[in-house]
Amino acid sequence: MPSLNSTKAGTGTCWCFCPKKLAANWNTFRENYVNNPVAADRFAYTVLFHTDLSRNGGDSNGIDLSRLNCANYDLVVIDESHNFRNGSDTVSKVAGKEENRYLRLMNRVLKPGVRTKVVMLSATPVNNRFTDLKNQLALAYEGNSGVLGEKLHISHSIEDIFRSAQKAFNDWSKLPGEEVRHM
């Protein structure tokens, strides 16, 4: 499996998506800076921002987006991955096509080209409902839940599992406070 470590030897390509406000953190770890605690590891990866998925051109973090081969990354790290929780539920018109960042990530980076592994970093994987987590997990299996089901050896679909979990949570949340504390 490709990792940030394998990118230093040129054996893999890694793309880190992060919010723009976190760019300095990710850029520090890939550069030869005096404040880089892992400088000796010589990591090599591309840093772009979540918002760059809504763009077809221009420069971002020193990269010409119009020339970027989005489908050629072995590993994609998504920092603050909870920002990709909405799945295909919310779309907007981008270049005449209805897509959101989630769909552009799925359709332009993960599905085409080389087989891509996904690492998602988030301290908030579930904001409001279990669908938030289901949508994030779908990025790891390119939207094909059967693949994940086979790997996990589960008899029910991922959709059924999350639907059942949401129902159980909703039922639990309607219990009187005293019953909830004793569960």
Side-chain angles (χ1 to χ4, degrees):
M1 178 174 133
S3 67
L4 280 177
N5 216 19
S6 70
T7 63
K8 70 181 182 184
T11 58
T13 55
C14 179
W15 189 345
C16 173
F17 280 108
C18 66
K20 196 170 193 172
K21 66 183 179 188
L22 298 179
N25 298 349
W26 285 98
N27 286 332
T28 295
F29 291 120
R30 72 171 187 186
E31 299 298 338
N32 191 25
Y33 292 147
V34 294
N35 65 331
N36 179 353
V38 294
D41 290 322
R42 305 174 76 82
F43 292 132
Y45 50 88
T46 303
V47 177
L48 287 174
F49 315 124
H50 293 175
T51 53
D52 291 331
L53 286 166
S54 300
R55 301 172 57 199
N56 290 321
D59 285 345
S60 180
N61 205 25
I63 296 167
D64 180 352
L65 297 176
S66 67
R67 298 180 0 177
L68 187 65
N69 184 356
C70 297
N72 198 35
Y73 286 88
D74 300 301
L75 177 67
V76 171
V77 176
I78 306 171
D79 196 0
E80 302 289 339
S81 66
H82 58 272
N83 290 314
F84 290 85
R85 69 184 174 271
N86 292 328
S88 59
D89 296 343
T90 59
V91 294
S92 59
K93 281 203 183 265
V94 177
K97 188 174 181 183
E98 287 194 1
E99 281 187 320
N100 61 14
R101 287 184 216 161
Y102 179 95
L103 288 172
R104 286 175 73 100
L105 177 63
M106 185 73 78
N107 296 332
R108 295 179 184 211
V109 178
L110 302 178
K111 285 184 176 181
V114 301
R115 185 88 175 122
T116 305
K117 303 287 185 182
V118 179
V119 174
M120 293 172 276
L121 308 172
S122 178
T124 318
V126 176
N127 281 13
N128 301 311
R129 53 197 201 285
F130 286 101
T131 302
D132 297 345
L133 182 57
K134 178 184 71 89
N135 289 337
Q136 290 173 74
L137 286 174
L139 294 172
Y141 54 80
E142 298 178 359
N144 183 350
S145 62
V147 171
L148 184 62
E150 287 175 25
K151 288 186 183 286
L152 297 176
H153 306 289
I154 55 177
S155 58
H156 298 288
S157 73
I158 292 297
E159 291 80 4
D160 288 343
I161 291 169
F162 278 103
R163 194 175 306 111
S164 177
Q166 186 66 57
K167 182 182 179 327
F169 176 79
N170 291 346
D171 292 346
W172 171 82
S173 66
K174 292 175 187 171
L175 293 173
E178 190 63 32
E179 287 185 52
V180 170
R181 281 193 291 272
H182 293 312
M183 292 191 98

